Amino acid sequence: MIISLDESGTPFADQIQDQVRGLVTTGLLARDQRLPSVRQLAGDLGVAPGTVAKAYRALESEGVLVTRIGSGTRVSANAAATPQIIITAAAQLAAAGKREGVDVDEAVRVLRAIWSS
């Protein structure tokens, strides 16, 4: 599992949560796949275990992850990857936005406007 943190000002727990959610959404983390333990991931990322635990708890409350004593934290059986056609279209939108100097917030506004029409 590849997670990296940055100094963007976004809390580390939120960054972990967003990245794990993204890995599940794109299918890079599959249903029932085991995640690193809280201590292991915290050590790998150089953050406090409580930071990883907070992210894992938030993802559990969303139904993305499940934690069971003895079997660790896993991707929920109910978690579903986004269809590949949507991921491809999103990648194309991101590439076009970067190429044209459009930030992500503007791209999302455009997508929402088109979605609603």
Side-chain angles (χ1 to χ4, degrees), residues 22-29 80-93:
L23 291 167
V24 171
T25 299
T26 59
L28 294 173
L29 279 175
T82 301
Q84 187 59 46
I85 192 168
I86 301 300
I87 294 169
T88 300
Q92 291 171 344
L93 174 61

Side-chain angles (χ1 to χ4, degrees), residues 17 21 54-66:
Q17 187 177 341
R21 191 183 303 107
K54 181 178 178 181
Y56 278 13
R57 279 192 308 272
L59 290 165
E60 283 183 75
S61 71
E62 292 176 21
V64 175
L65 301 180
V66 292

Side-chain angles (χ1 to χ4, degrees), residues 4-102:
S4 61
L5 302 177
D6 60 44
E7 299 295 331
S8 64
T10 302
F12 291 149
D14 292 348
Q15 290 183 48
I16 294 166
Q17 187 177 341
D18 289 344
Q19 289 182 46
V20 169
R21 191 183 303 107
L23 291 167
V24 171
T25 299
T26 59
L28 294 173
L29 279 175
R31 291 178 182 175
D32 201 42
Q33 186 170 344
R34 189 172 183 165
L35 276 68
S37 70
V38 166
R39 288 181 195 253
Q40 179 184 345
L41 187 56
D44 291 347
L45 297 174
V47 298
T51 301
V52 175
K54 181 178 178 181
Y56 278 13
R57 279 192 308 272
L59 290 165
E60 283 183 75
S61 71
E62 292 176 21
V64 175
L65 301 180
V66 292
T67 301
R68 292 190 187 99
I69 296 173
S71 65
T73 301
R74 296 180 177 274
V75 176
S76 170
N78 297 326
T82 301
Q84 187 59 46
I85 192 168
I86 301 300
I87 294 169
T88 300
Q92 291 171 344
L93 174 61
K98 290 175 186 176
R99 192 172 49 253
E100 299 298 323
V102 175

